[in-house]
Amino acid sequence: GHLCKLEDGLIIATPTGSTAYSLAAGGSMLHPSVPGIILTPVCPHSLSFRPVVLPDSAVVTVRVPANSRSSRVMVAVDGKDRIELMRGDSIEVAVSPFPLPTVCKNSVTDDWFLSVNEALQWNLRLEQKGLTPPAQL
């Protein structure tokens, strides 16, 4: 029942996929233990259409309006499989009832922060040098 008008695209991501495409488009990072779906608009034409996190119980329907300017829309699944939608077509996206188990070296949280820190240099800052008085002439 909710309507969002898209122009350039929409990224629908899981928490484990949030630090790639979604983050690059301005979406949030979401810890893997937080059950949810991330919706991130790609270059929205309206400043009021912002990234949002939905509960994992949400079902997202993406529909190409019958009066769409474009006669077809491409859906890319994880950047690989492509599905073509025509005017009036729709797809539904939901969280799988069968979660993919992951292997952790330490813990989910420790491994996630380590990965984010290494990949993005997140929250890292160069050490600043102390002030030195100017040399006397």
Side-chain angles (χ1 to χ4, degrees), residues 2 4 10-15 28 30-31 34-40 49-62 93-95:
H2 303 288
C4 298
L10 176 68
I11 296 169
I12 303 172
T14 62
S28 297
L30 194 59
H31 187 279
V34 177
I37 299 173
I38 304 165
L39 297 182
T40 305
F49 188 20
R50 309 306 312 157
V52 64
V53 177
L54 301 175
D56 65 343
S57 60
V59 176
V60 178
T61 302
V62 178
V93 180
V95 172

Side-chain angles (χ1 to χ4, degrees), residues 76-137:
V77 180
D78 204 18
K80 299 174 192 153
D81 301 325
R82 294 191 186 337
I83 303 164
E84 185 175 16
L85 299 179
M86 306 303 280
R87 289 183 183 127
D89 288 347
S90 65
I91 59 168
E92 285 188 349
V93 180
V95 172
S96 172
F98 308 104
L100 182 66
T102 55
V103 177
C104 298
K105 183 177 179 183
N106 298 313
S107 73
V108 173
T109 299
D110 289 347
D111 289 0
W112 184 74
F113 273 110
L114 181 64
S115 175
V116 169
N117 286 338
E118 286 178 355
L120 304 175
Q121 301 297 302
W122 183 65
N123 201 30
L124 296 180
R125 183 176 146 166
L126 293 175
E127 186 73 27
Q128 293 183 350
K129 296 179 181 176
L131 294 175
T132 53
Q136 299 293 328
L137 295 179

Side-chain angles (χ1 to χ4, degrees), residues 67-81:
N67 62 352
S68 174
R69 289 186 302 174
S70 177
S71 62
R72 62 188 187 131
V73 171
M74 294 302 294
V75 176
V77 180
D78 204 18
K80 299 174 192 153
D81 301 325

